């Protein structure tokens, strides 16, 4: 078991480095040792997708066999999760998620002690919550974008469950079933940061962030943007519970990571949150310097709405410092930017 965990960690690092052929070989090696290793089987699906070989893998597992193992049934269902993102029609996407949930819930009834079943269900519930809320928001505007809510409502039936709460329950169950120090435990802490953040339970989000970051060197996130998002959410959560020193540290790291990712929108947002933290802790000059950087990013993005917000923040800090001339100069930029 320990050797297999070492190999799983190695495969995850290879996935992060985008060495997909090497990761495939590592997952296959694990499966030679333990053919029904859930982590390696799921990794095999993930890396097959990256290598453009998912259809071939799907064909291999498509045929149902008598007295089929739980692992084989799980992989066939897990492959279906990739079909969800391929759906461009929202109602079809929701229907596909619902069908996969039904299949996986049936499998859970056969074996309720499998970490991966609970984790995948948690992800599916989370997806259902997201798309269901988005669909409902379209209904609220009276614009269904050609989607018919009454069809979907009939599909679900009433009352509809709280999908997000179901997601939290599944992630928590999986987290407590997972082995300490395992890849699964680390990724589940990531999942729990995300759902707690969405629920605005910032104290819990920060708690799971701390647990996840403890293993970040041994078990990195699969993508750099996921690490950046982890630090961004952790920093915001820390600021919301009054841990401003920690928030500043995490937000600075988030900015570095988003710059490395190359996502200027996220760079601007993370800088803006950092500047607010600095302002709240009385570091006004540093806040001004950071907001100046935010202003430059938003000018580059031609984001007029956020340009206005940044200039107002800069003016407010100058007023706090009784620098009224500088505040007026900042407000003058509004007219110049609008003219530009």
């Amino acid at each position: 078991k320990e050797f297999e965990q070492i190999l799983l960690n190695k495969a995850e690092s290879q996935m992060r480095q985008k060495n997909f052929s090497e990761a495939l070989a590592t997952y296959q090696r694990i499966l030679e040792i333990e053919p029904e290793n859930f982590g390696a089987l799921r990794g095999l699906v993930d890396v097959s997708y990256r290598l453009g070989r998912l259809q071939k893998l799907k064909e291999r597992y498509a045929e149902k066999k008598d007295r089929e193992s739980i692992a084989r049934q799980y992989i066939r269902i897990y492959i279906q999760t990739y079909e969800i993102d391929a759906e461009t029609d929202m109602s079809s996407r929701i229907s596909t998620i619902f069908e996969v949930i039904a299949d996986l819930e049936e499998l859970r009834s056969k074996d309720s002690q499998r970490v991966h079943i609970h984790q995948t269900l948690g992800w599916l519930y989370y997806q259902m919550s997201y798309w269901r809320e988005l669909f409902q928001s379209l209904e609220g505007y009276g614009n269904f974008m050609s989607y018919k809510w009454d069809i979907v409502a009939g599909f679900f039936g009433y009352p509809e469950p709280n999908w997000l709460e179901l997601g939290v329950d599944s992630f928590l169950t999986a987290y407590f079933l997972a082995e300490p120090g395992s890849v699964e435990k680390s990724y589940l802490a990531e999942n729990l940061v995300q759902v707690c953040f969405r629920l605005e339970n910032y104290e819990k989000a920060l708690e799971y962030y701390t647990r996840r970051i403890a293993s970040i060197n041994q078990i990195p996130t699969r993508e750099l943007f996921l690490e950046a998002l982890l630090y961004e959410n952790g920093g915001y959560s820390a600021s919301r519970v009054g841990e401003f020193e920690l928030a500043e540290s995490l937000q600075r790291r988030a900015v570095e990571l988003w710059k490395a990712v190359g996502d200027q929108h996220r760079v601007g947002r993370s800088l803006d949150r950092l500047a607010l933290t600095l302002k709240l802790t009385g570091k006004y000059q540093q806040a001004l310097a950071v907001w100046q950087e935010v202003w430059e990013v938003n000018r580059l993005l031609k984001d007029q709405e956020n340009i206005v917000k940044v200039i107002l923040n800069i003016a407010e800090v100058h007023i706090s410092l009784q620098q009224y001339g500088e505040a007026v100069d900042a407000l003058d930029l509004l007219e110049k930017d609008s003219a530009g």
Side-chain angles (χ1 to χ4, degrees):
K1 288 287 185 181
E2 185 177 347
F3 181 59
E4 292 164 27
Q5 189 61 57
I6 291 171
L7 288 177
L8 277 174
N9 291 355
K10 179 181 178 181
E12 291 303 311
S13 294
Q14 290 165 336
M15 290 287 283
R16 166 68 175 259
Q17 295 159 10
K18 302 190 185 305
N19 295 328
F20 300 127
S21 295
E22 294 177 16
L24 175 62
T26 304
Y27 287 128
Q28 289 172 333
R29 186 180 177 191
I30 297 168
L31 292 170
E32 288 172 1
I33 301 169
E34 186 185 348
E36 297 198 351
N37 183 296
F38 273 67
L41 283 168
R42 191 169 69 172
L44 182 65
V45 175
D46 296 337
V47 77
S48 295
Y49 173 78
R50 298 300 186 90
L51 291 168
R53 302 177 186 176
L54 188 59
Q55 184 58 35
K56 184 179 291 187
L57 191 68
K58 180 180 178 179
E59 291 168 3
R60 188 198 308 176
Y61 286 95
E63 183 183 354
K64 294 184 179 181
K65 298 182 177 181
D66 294 335
R67 304 179 70 177
E68 201 169 37
S69 70
I70 295 293
R72 184 180 175 88
Q73 293 176 65
Y74 170 75
I75 285 306
R76 186 166 54 248
I77 295 170
Y78 184 65
I79 290 171
Q80 290 180 262
T81 65
Y82 277 91
E83 296 173 2
I84 293 169
D85 286 332
E87 295 284 1
T88 55
D89 179 273
M90 193 184 299
S91 58
S92 297
R93 181 187 289 258
I94 292 172
S95 297
T96 301
I97 295 171
F98 189 82
E99 289 165 5
V100 179
I101 284 174
D103 289 342
L104 204 52
E105 284 180 339
E106 182 181 352
L107 189 61
R108 182 184 58 187
S109 70
K110 299 175 183 177
D111 189 341
S112 62
Q113 299 301 305
R114 295 288 182 177
V115 171
H116 297 86
I117 292 176
H118 289 288
Q119 183 176 24
T120 306
L121 264 175
W123 180 83
L124 289 165
Y125 291 141
Y126 184 84
Q127 290 293 308
M128 181 64 90
S129 171
Y130 173 80
W131 290 106
R132 168 65 177 81
E133 286 180 18
L134 180 59
F135 203 90
Q136 192 174 35
S137 72
L138 296 176
E139 179 195 23
Y141 285 110
N143 176 12
F144 292 90
M145 296 168 57
S146 80
Y147 306 122
K148 302 296 184 182
W149 170 242
D150 55 342
I151 294 174
V152 179
F155 180 78
F156 287 134
Y158 289 101
E160 189 177 342
N162 186 316
W163 299 106
L164 192 54
E165 286 186 4
L166 288 175
V168 172
D169 288 345
S170 287
F171 284 141
L172 283 172
T173 300
Y175 186 81
F176 288 112
L177 285 173
E179 292 289 332
S182 65
V183 169
E184 291 78 18
K185 195 92 168 178
S186 291
Y187 286 170
L188 282 158
E190 247 175 79
N191 296 145
L192 285 163
V193 170
Q194 189 175 13
V195 293
C196 290
F197 188 84
R198 186 171 167 196
L199 287 166
E200 299 183 1
N201 188 338
Y202 300 115
E203 190 171 344
K204 276 293 181 184
L206 188 59
E207 176 186 333
Y208 285 110
Y209 161 81
T210 303
R211 296 184 189 185
R212 176 60 182 106
I213 213 65
S215 63
I216 200 77
N217 292 326
Q218 294 76 26
I219 306 172
T221 58
R222 278 195 175 175
E223 300 281 354
L224 186 60
F225 85 88
L226 291 173
E227 185 177 348
L229 187 61
L230 187 65
Y231 275 93
E232 179 184 317
N233 289 345
Y236 186 77
S237 298
S239 69
R240 289 300 300 266
V241 298
E243 297 282 351
F244 296 117
E245 186 175 343
L246 175 60
E248 179 184 344
S249 172
L250 301 182
Q251 287 164 341
R252 289 188 184 280
R253 179 60 178 154
V255 170
E256 292 173 0
L257 290 167
W258 284 124
K259 286 180 177 179
V261 170
D263 188 328
Q264 290 302 308
H265 287 282
R266 293 282 194 171
V267 168
R269 185 166 77 175
S270 294
L271 281 168
D272 188 59
R273 287 177 172 175
L274 171 60
L276 180 59
T277 297
L278 292 168
K279 177 193 169 191
L280 289 172
T281 52
K283 299 177 181 179
Y284 295 119
Q285 295 301 330
Q286 291 183 51
L288 286 171
V290 173
W291 263 319
Q292 179 65 32
E293 191 175 349
V294 178
W295 178 69
E296 291 167 0
V297 169
N298 287 324
R299 277 177 62 86
L300 180 67
L301 295 171
K302 296 181 170 48
D303 187 341
Q304 192 61 34
E305 182 180 349
N306 279 319
I307 287 173
V308 170
K309 290 178 181 177
V310 170
I311 291 174
L312 291 174
N313 283 329
I314 290 172
E316 184 180 344
V317 172
H318 281 305
I319 291 170
S320 297
L321 293 170
Q322 298 184 347
Q323 296 172 344
Y324 302 114
E326 287 86 343
V328 171
D329 291 342
L331 293 172
D332 283 344
L333 289 173
L334 287 176
E335 185 177 349
K336 292 178 183 177
D337 275 309
S338 296

